[in-house]
Amino acid sequence: MFKPVRFIALLVAVLSGAAAQAEIVDIAWSGDGRFERRMTVAPGKFAEVCGKLAKAQAVAWRFDADGPLNFNIHYHEGKDVRYPERRDALVSGSGRLQVALAQDYCWMWTNKSAQPVALELMLT
């Protein structure tokens, strides 16, 4: 099945030469409604976790990293990118996304440092 958000993120990674080092993950909810992931964000690269959410759905999120990462939650509306959440240089964060519009939403971390950064994420 074609997933436009994943395709766009993959295309950006390929065009920037980052395909081998950028991590793009589809959200796969567990039976109890959780998604957990551990990954490493390579220096100068990004990691992104994306999935379709329904209007009025709420998702609690939490992450911890062993170094600073720029973080955002975003979705695409035509050619525009909307950011319900956006913060820079975090080693941890948490919050609750209240979905106002049925869309594919992405949690994204960018590593601006010269060292790899380990990241743990939980969505519920």
Side-chain angles (χ1 to χ4, degrees):
M1 182 165 91
F2 179 71
K3 296 187 181 228
V5 171
R6 183 176 170 95
F7 176 76
I8 291 167
L10 184 58
L11 182 60
V12 168
V14 169
L15 292 175
S16 69
Q21 302 213 8
E23 188 162 0
I24 304 166
V25 177
D26 288 326
I27 296 172
W29 298 103
S30 67
D32 64 350
R34 297 168 94 67
F35 174 80
E36 296 182 47
R37 184 74 179 210
R38 289 185 177 145
M39 59 187 97
T40 299
V41 186
K45 305 300 178 193
F46 68 91
E48 192 171 34
V49 173
C50 301
K52 186 150 201 74
L53 300 178
K55 184 177 180 177
Q57 186 175 355
V59 178
W61 54 270
R62 185 179 80 234
F63 71 88
D64 292 296
D66 67 357
L69 296 169
N70 291 355
F71 166 73
N72 72 69
I73 301 172
H74 69 271
Y75 63 92
H76 299 265
E77 211 170 33
K79 292 185 178 186
D80 295 328
V81 180
R82 308 284 185 209
Y83 296 92
E85 190 80 38
R86 191 180 213 176
R87 302 183 202 170
D88 289 338
L90 296 178
V91 294
S92 66
S94 64
R96 186 170 184 84
L97 174 68
Q98 187 65 46
V99 178
L101 181 65
Q103 271 294 353
D104 287 314
Y105 286 80
C106 296
W107 282 254
M108 182 175 179
W109 298 265
T110 304
N111 182 357
K112 300 288 186 178
S113 77
Q115 300 298 320
V117 175
L119 170 69
E120 292 186 30
L121 164 68
M122 180 185 296
L123 305 176
T124 56

